[in-house]
């Protein structure tokens, strides 16, 4: 009856960032943060549910999330590592929680405004986009939250087992003869 069927799915299994300090409290996978927030919004004060947590790419024990235990960015300095739709959702949600500052680290360089010759159709167009989270951050903080060419090296401990900061380095990307980043 149909010429095509398209199945689209999101990645609910996170890709971990295996750097020193990853185990510190205050570091969360995007879907843990977003799922707990959505359930809290939908269920209010009665929100209690199991969420499967992942550590080192493997399922960890489910934990219970209740209204007073959902992951809140209120009053926090937030760093979102990575981009795409999920990164934008984390940015927007953190702003709505009233975080005090927000930065978004992107590993690759800023994409061009227009599609480049080494990115022909039907490939996904790698072009600079401003999504709702970036617009909200610009409105609240005065600038686009994205910083490009940043590699996360280490999470810094506050001495009590909580994340205090993140050590990063700037990276410069070149392209090989096929247009791939090296």
């Amino acid at each position: 009856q149909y010429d095509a069927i398209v199945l689209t799915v999101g990645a609910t299994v996170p890709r971990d960032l295996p750097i020193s300090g990853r185990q510190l409290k205050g570091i969360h996978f995007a879907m843990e943060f977003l799922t707990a927030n959505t359930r809290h919004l939908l269920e209010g004060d009665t929100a209690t549910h199991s969420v499967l947590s992942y550590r080192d790419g493997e399922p960890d024990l489910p934990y219970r999330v209740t209204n007073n235990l959902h992951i809140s960015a209120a009053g926090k300095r937030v760093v979102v590592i990575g981009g795409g739709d999920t990164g934008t959702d984390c940015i927007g949600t953190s702003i709505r929680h009233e975080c005090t500052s927000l930065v978004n680290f992107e590993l690759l360089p800023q994409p061009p405004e227009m599609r480049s010759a080494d990115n022909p159709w039907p490939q996904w167009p790698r072009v600079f986009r401003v999504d709702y989270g970036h617009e909200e951050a610009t409105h609240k903080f005065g600038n686009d939250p994205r910083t490009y060419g940043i590699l996360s090296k280490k999470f810094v401990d506050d001495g009590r087992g909580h994340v205090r900061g993140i050590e990063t380095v700037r990276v410069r990307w070149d392209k090989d003869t096929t247009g791939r980043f090296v």
Side-chain angles (χ1 to χ4, degrees), residues 15-62:
R15 185 174 48 196
D16 206 352
L17 188 60
I19 62 174
S20 178
R22 170 63 185 90
Q23 78 289 348
L24 296 171
K25 292 181 179 131
I27 301 169
H28 305 282
F29 289 120
M31 293 309 294
E32 287 177 333
F33 175 61
L34 295 171
T35 300
N37 183 71
T38 300
R39 291 199 191 257
H40 170 71
L41 289 172
L42 293 174
E43 299 172 16
D45 292 338
T46 63
T48 303
H49 59 284
S50 292
V51 175
L52 189 57
S53 175
Y54 289 85
R55 292 283 177 201
D56 301 320
E58 295 296 321
D60 200 356
L61 296 175

